Structure formats: C-alpha cells, structure tokens
C-alpha cells in the first residue's frame, strides 16, 4: 500500500514511464504561481522549519462543501476527453460528478457516499456499482484517487506521505517553501506558498522515478479560504494528464446526503465492479 495519507490506492503508482515530461510540469508550476517575482526573499516571519510549514499547510481549513460547474480536459494514453462538469462534493469523502453537454444536460454521472459508488451514462444499458476504491472512482474523472483524497485534492490538499519528516528549503524562483519528504522507496516534493500557506504543487517519486504530480493555480479568486481555481494532475505510468478548472461554484452550502447516493435507473442492468479492475481497462481504453 502506498504510504500516503488517507489510505491511498496503489492502482496508479507503479514506476514512471519513459518520456514523461518533467519540464512540462515545472512550466505549469511557474504559470500557476504567476504573480511571484523571480528571486523572492525568504520570509522573515511565519513557519520556517519543514514540520511547521507542512503543519501550517495542512491546517488551512477546507470548505465543507463545494457545488457548481467546472471544465475538464483529460488525456488518457493519448486519447482526449473534454467535458463540462457539475461538481457536488462534501468533506471528507462524498462526491457527485456529472459530465454535461454545453446546454447543461447530463451525459454521465458518478456518485459516492465515501463507501460505495454508482456510475451510469444517460441512455446506457449498464449501471456500474461497487466499492468506492480509486479504480472505480476514476471511471468518470480519471484522477485515480479514493473518495477522501479526491475531495481533498479538488479543494487544494494533495495526498501527502505519511510518517515522513519534511525538510524545508526556500525556492526563491517560485516564492515558496519546498518540502522534501522521504519514506523509501517513496519520495515527495511539495511547494507551499506563504503567507497563506497554500500548496502550489506536489511531485511523487518511487525509486527515483516520477510517478505522479499535482499542480494548482489561481489561488484566491474563490475567496481567501477557497480552493484553487485550477488543478492539473498527471500519472506517469498510465499516461494520464487531467486539468480541472472550477468556474461558477458555491462554498459551504448545505447539501443533502442523498445527493451522494444516486440509484441506478429502473430497468438498467447493474454491474458490480471489483476494485482489482482498473477503470481504464474496464472501458477498453
């Protein structure tokens, strides 16, 4: 089991593939942290040690709920997927995600209450159900994370290595603390920007090879305590590259629990999916 917080699945954490573009990720990080001038001075106050910087980043309150629209662009092994999304999420682990037409008609839906999931397409013949593991959760939005990590990642908190003592150095180019965490064979790098202590990016390595990365951009436009507007996640082994941009969203509104238990339509066959089967292989991609 990958030693990440929130019991991260190993579905997408094998060694990275050749040709994975680290330069492209760094370029996105630089764009996402626009507004920081090169050579930013090291802060004279606030957290400065690795444990304190990480604790401050983790202590940032996440919105209790988020609902609204987003735009997704995903590339899975060279195949492009683009869709408007309707997002309804509640911490720590509940989500309903719909793929929509430009006229806001539902194309497909995935919902989870944190334990089980259901997913079906409008007009389809099969409704897929099962345990809400990372592989099943990736059926509609291929982020490859279990429910609690999916919700936290969308809200700006990526998975973080457990039981690893962080070391901090100041990255003047990005105006952020760079944290290094190691728990062999895993290593993680995090960039945390003061004074808000928002996480700009995370890169995960296994045996020295990059396996996954998340970069965030446009912080602060959804409120000082709101999530970043932009998120990009890449999985090297599955050649997955997903970008999500939040558009018109509401935060901390009351959402009824039945929003996360979407039943299969009457007359549609139910297919129970085991967690050993990945979402991409099940769809034949």
């Amino acid at each position: 089991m990958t030693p990440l917080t929130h019991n991260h699945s190993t579905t997408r954490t094998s060694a990275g593939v050749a040709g994975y573009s680290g330069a492209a990720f760094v370029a996105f990080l630089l764009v996402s942290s626009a507004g920081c001038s090169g050579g930013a001075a090291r802060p004279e106050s606030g957290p400065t040690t690795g444990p304190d910087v990480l604790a401050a980043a983790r202590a940032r309150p996440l919105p209790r709920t988020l609902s609204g629209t987003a735009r997704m662009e995903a590339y899975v092994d060279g195949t492009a997927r683009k869709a408007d999304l309707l997002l309804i999420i509640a911490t720590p682990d509940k989500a309903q995600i719909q793929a929509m037409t430009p006229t806001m008609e539902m194309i497909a839906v995935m919902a989870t209450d944190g334990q089980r999931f259901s997913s079906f397409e409008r007009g389809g013949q099969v409704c897929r159900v099962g345990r809400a593991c990372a592989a099943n959760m990736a059926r509609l939005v291929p982020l490859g994370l279990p429910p609690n990590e999916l919700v936290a990642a969308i809200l700006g908190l990526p998975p973080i290595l457990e039981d690893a003592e962080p070391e901090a150095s100041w990255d003047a180019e990005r105006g952020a603390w760079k944290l290094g965490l190691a728990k062999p064979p895993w290593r993680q790098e995090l960039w945390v920007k003061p004074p808000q202590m928002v996480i700009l990016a995370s890169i995960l390595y296994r045996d020295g090879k990059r396996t996954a990365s998340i970069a965030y951009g446009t912080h602060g436009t959804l409120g000082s305590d709101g999530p970043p507007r932009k998120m990009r996640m890449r999985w090297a082994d599955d050649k997955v590259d997903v970008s999500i941009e939040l558009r018109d969203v509401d935060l901390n509104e009351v959402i009824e629990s039945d929003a996360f238990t979407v039943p299969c339509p009457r007359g549609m066959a139910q297919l129970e999916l085991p967690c050993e089967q990945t979402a991409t292989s099940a769809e034949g991609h």
Side-chain angles (χ1 to χ4, degrees):
M1 180 174 296
T2 309
L4 294 175
T5 57
H6 312 312
N7 191 26
H8 187 275
S9 168
T10 58
T11 304
R12 298 181 185 275
T13 50
S14 62
V17 295
Y20 179 73
S21 176
F25 175 79
V26 172
F28 179 82
L29 174 60
L30 290 172
V31 171
S32 71
S33 57
C36 304
S37 59
R42 186 180 186 272
E44 296 182 359
S45 60
T48 58
T49 67
D52 287 347
V53 171
L54 182 59
R58 280 177 154 166
R60 276 181 54 83
L62 298 180
R64 297 185 304 277
T65 65
L66 179 149
S67 58
T69 58
R71 177 67 178 175
M72 178 185 74
E73 295 188 6
Y75 297 87
V76 181
D77 199 17
T79 300
R81 305 179 188 176
K82 299 183 181 183
D84 292 320
L85 302 179
L86 175 65
L87 298 177
I88 306 173
I89 63 178
T91 56
D93 57 6
K94 296 176 174 57
Q96 182 191 139
I97 303 176
Q98 297 184 24
M100 312 293 290
T101 68
T103 57
M104 297 304 291
E105 296 181 82
M106 189 193 80
I107 300 171
V109 61
M110 185 279 298
T112 179
D113 61 1
Q115 301 299 318
R116 299 278 297 174
F117 100 108
S118 61
S119 179
F120 57 87
E121 298 179 4
R122 185 182 65 180
Q125 302 299 312
V126 177
C127 176
R128 295 170 175 85
V129 298
R131 193 159 55 86
C133 55
N136 287 338
M137 292 294 298
R139 182 158 301 281
L140 186 59
V141 178
L143 292 178
L145 297 173
N148 51 346
E149 291 184 0
L150 173 69
V151 169
I154 290 174
L155 295 177
L157 181 64
I160 297 172
L161 279 174
E162 290 180 335
D163 303 323
E165 185 77 7
E167 297 183 356
S169 60
W170 179 247
D171 188 331
E173 185 178 8
R174 297 173 180 82
W177 290 105
K178 180 181 179 181
L179 300 182
L181 300 92
K183 188 173 183 180
W186 300 95
R187 182 168 63 86
Q188 185 174 21
E189 296 173 341
L190 290 166
W191 283 263
V192 180
K193 180 176 174 55
Q196 300 86 358
M197 307 310 287
V198 296
I199 295 178
L200 297 180
S202 164
I203 307 177
L204 182 68
Y205 303 84
R206 180 173 184 177
D207 294 323
K209 296 181 180 180
R210 185 190 309 257
T211 64
S213 60
I214 298 180
Y216 295 105
T218 321
H219 291 84
T221 61
L222 297 174
S224 59
D225 292 330
R229 189 174 289 276
K230 296 181 180 180
M231 166 186 175
R232 183 178 184 182
M233 185 166 187
R234 312 182 103 198
W235 289 101
D237 54 329
D238 287 350
K239 300 182 182 179
V240 171
D241 187 339
V242 183
S243 296
I244 295 177
E245 180 176 0
L246 301 178
R247 293 186 170 175
D248 184 14
V249 299
D250 295 313
L251 304 176
N252 296 319
E253 294 197 341
V254 176
I255 299 175
E256 299 297 330
S257 60
D258 59 3
F260 307 111
T261 54
V262 177
C264 295
R266 181 175 298 179
M268 188 175 285
Q270 291 191 31
L271 175 64
E272 181 83 16
L273 291 181
C275 286
E276 292 75 18
Q277 183 179 36
T278 65
T280 50
S281 65
E283 291 295 336
H285 294 309

